[in-house]
Amino acid sequence: RKEVEQDPGPFNVPEGATVAFNCTYSNSASQSFFWYRQDCRKEPKLLMSVYSSGNEDGRFTAQLNRASQYISLLIRDSKLSDSATYLCVVNYNQGGKLIFGQGTELSVKP
Amino acid sequence: DTEVTQTPKHLVMGMTNKKSLKCEQHMGHRAMYWYKQKAKKPPELMFVYSYEKLSINESVPSRFSPECPNSSLLNLHLHALQPEDSALYLCASSQDRAGWDTQYFGPGTRLTVL
């Protein structure tokens, strides 16, 4: 079993759609959680840190359920510019080592 | 400012060449990282430096040799690479190596080994 697992994708959605990505992690000692976004042939960029209380940034909402070891990202009112690969990332506090999910590709169509 | 810079952007090298990748950050971060990323895969950690000392080497072949000359700079020296080493090489930095520290990535060097 992979340490961090994401929906396989790709997700193809029309503009304006709401899309949800799910992620599970296997190590209950995980300390911090992130969603990164990576455009084609570019570097990963931090989208959001994820907190137990949930957090929202504009059209993006992230949730963490420690009991279920589950992380989610909700994107409302999708834009063409949201097309990218979304990486679920977990930090086990092992000297800075991040554990990446395989990524979920999102394509928003006109 | 959360900028990490990397040079060169692109590099083509033969299997007998020696080249170096460079990474710089001016955020006062004390942890710096090298990752390797193949197409359609997530980044894979190669090395971690903390306070200019190597703290993690993820069993990387010796043809990759990291160096941290000071707290702002990180180099990756390349020698006798193989075609399968062709990939995007990403540098990242974070305030420290604590579990809650965010890592910021540079734009990467796209390496092709012929």
Side-chain angles (χ1 to χ4, degrees):
Chain A
R1 183 186 172 191
K2 292 194 176 80
E3 291 182 270
V4 177
E5 292 202 64
Q6 294 185 239
D7 288 336
F11 283 50
N12 297 302
V13 303
E15 268 188 294
T18 295
V19 61
F21 300 142
N22 301 314
C23 174
T24 56
Y25 60 95
S26 59
N27 188 333
S28 59
S30 300
Q31 181 141 2
S32 55
F33 310 87
F34 308 91
W35 284 102
Y36 279 77
R37 167 203 169 121
Q38 187 169 25
D39 292 284
C40 188
R41 300 180 71 81
K42 300 281 191 180
E43 76 273 25
K45 291 191 176 175
L46 179 69
L47 181 66
M48 302 176 79
S49 299
V50 190
Y51 306 111
S52 295
S53 53
N55 45 309
E56 186 173 314
D57 182 4
R59 298 181 292 108
F60 299 84
T61 301
Q63 295 276 355
L64 167 64
N65 184 322
R66 281 190 183 270
S68 303
Q69 296 180 201
Y70 170 89
I71 307 157
S72 66
L73 176 68
L74 185 75
I75 305 175
R76 290 179 299 278
D77 188 23
S78 301
K79 311 289 185 194
L80 296 176
S81 56
D82 293 333
S83 297
T85 295
Y86 290 81
L87 294 160
C88 176
V89 184
V90 174
N91 190 328
Y92 292 162
N93 198 21
Q94 290 178 346
K97 185 171 179 178
L98 297 181
I99 310 298
F100 288 81
Q102 290 297 301
T104 301
E105 188 179 340
L106 172 66
S107 179
V108 182
K109 305 288 189 190
Chain B
D1 182 12
T2 55
E3 188 176 80
V4 177
T5 59
Q6 289 187 242
T7 55
K9 283 190 167 57
H10 301 275
L11 178 63
V12 179
M13 61 186 289
M15 290 190 285
T16 58
N17 292 155
K18 284 185 182 181
K19 297 285 185 184
S20 297
L21 310 184
K22 296 186 184 305
C23 173
E24 190 166 7
Q25 57 87 13
H26 293 290
M27 296 177 277
H29 287 176
R30 303 318 302 259
M32 295 184 78
Y33 311 79
W34 280 115
Y35 289 85
K36 173 182 176 179
Q37 187 175 25
K38 300 283 260 185
K40 303 285 189 186
K41 297 288 187 184
E44 296 173 35
L45 183 66
M46 299 174 73
F47 302 104
V48 180
Y49 271 82
S50 175
Y51 290 84
E52 301 161 47
K53 291 192 181 340
L54 183 65
S55 61
I56 294 178
N57 176 340
E58 289 284 285
S59 303
V60 179
S62 59
R63 57 186 185 270
F64 295 91
S65 174
E67 178 198 18
C68 190
N70 61 54
S71 60
S72 301
L73 291 173
L74 187 65
N75 298 324
L76 185 63
H77 302 298
L78 314 173
H79 174 56
L81 294 195
Q82 304 296 312
E84 59 264 29
D85 296 322
S86 299
L88 179 67
Y89 287 84
L90 293 160
C91 174
S93 72
S94 62
Q95 187 65 40
D96 206 323
R97 294 182 302 140
W100 51 84
D101 283 331
T102 300
Q103 290 186 25
Y104 297 94
F105 287 84
T109 294
R110 193 161 295 281
L111 174 68
T112 303
V113 182
L114 300 176

